[in-house]
Amino acid sequence: MIRPRNLESNVALKHSIVCIFTVLVAATLAVAIGRAPTATKWGAKGVESMYAAGIICTVSSVLAMVPLSVAAGWFRKQIGEAALAATVLRLLLTVFMAAAYQTWEKPDLGPFLFWASVFYGLSLIIDTTFALLIVRRVAEPKGAVGANA
């Protein structure tokens, strides 16, 4: 079995799990708070669009944590690049999944775009905060032996 080269990967994995849990809780709270106003303004189609946007943004956020978690264990010096890659991956996954959903399901675009923005903003804030925690915890100090000065 291949094991990570440092103990910091365990901390990064814990941060990643907490990040995923936090995104799930935030998305659930957003749905709980926004369901009634969405149903009032846009009806059942609006609620369906809200659910779709929430699922798309949550799944892309969870998948975006993978490169960061892997880099924390095996590619410690590239943790900053992995954090950037996670942000780019989240953006691309969200855009492509939203475009695919829009193409195949033809949702009501008003609530879909509104809730996609809300869910993406929530996941961006949460993921970026946890990515910064992981990078600070895992990155080698500039004066460390073997670090690029």
Side-chain angles (χ1 to χ4, degrees):
M1 182 170 147
I2 300 174
R3 296 188 185 262
R5 292 185 280 186
N6 58 54
L7 296 176
E8 297 299 330
S9 65
N10 292 335
V11 173
L13 184 60
K14 289 176 188 174
H15 283 316
S16 297
I17 291 170
V18 172
C19 177
I20 291 168
F21 179 73
T22 306
V23 167
L24 291 173
V25 168
T28 303
L29 286 173
V31 167
I33 292 168
R35 189 176 189 284
T38 301
T40 302
K41 183 167 177 76
W42 290 298
K45 284 289 211 181
V47 174
E48 183 182 314
S49 294
M50 177 184 68
Y51 291 155
I55 290 168
I56 288 167
C57 291
T58 302
V59 167
S60 63
S61 178
V62 169
L63 292 176
M65 288 307 292
V66 172
L68 196 55
S69 299
V70 169
W74 286 278
F75 307 103
R76 192 171 175 184
K77 290 183 180 178
Q78 287 81 22
I79 192 71
E81 289 87 351
L84 177 62
T87 303
V88 171
L89 182 61
R90 180 180 41 260
L91 174 65
L92 292 176
L93 285 171
T94 302
V95 167
F96 289 133
M97 286 193 291
Y101 179 77
Q102 191 276 328
T103 300
W104 285 307
E105 293 296 321
K106 308 278 190 247
D108 188 3
L109 288 181
F112 182 72
L113 293 176
F114 172 77
W115 282 107
S117 300
V118 169
F119 286 117
Y120 186 82
L122 283 172
S123 68
L124 181 65
I125 291 168
I126 294 166
D127 288 350
T128 302
T129 301
F130 278 94
L132 287 172
L133 288 172
I134 292 169
V135 168
R136 283 183 153 190
R137 181 67 188 225
V138 173
E140 293 182 34
K142 291 204 183 244
V145 175
N148 294 333

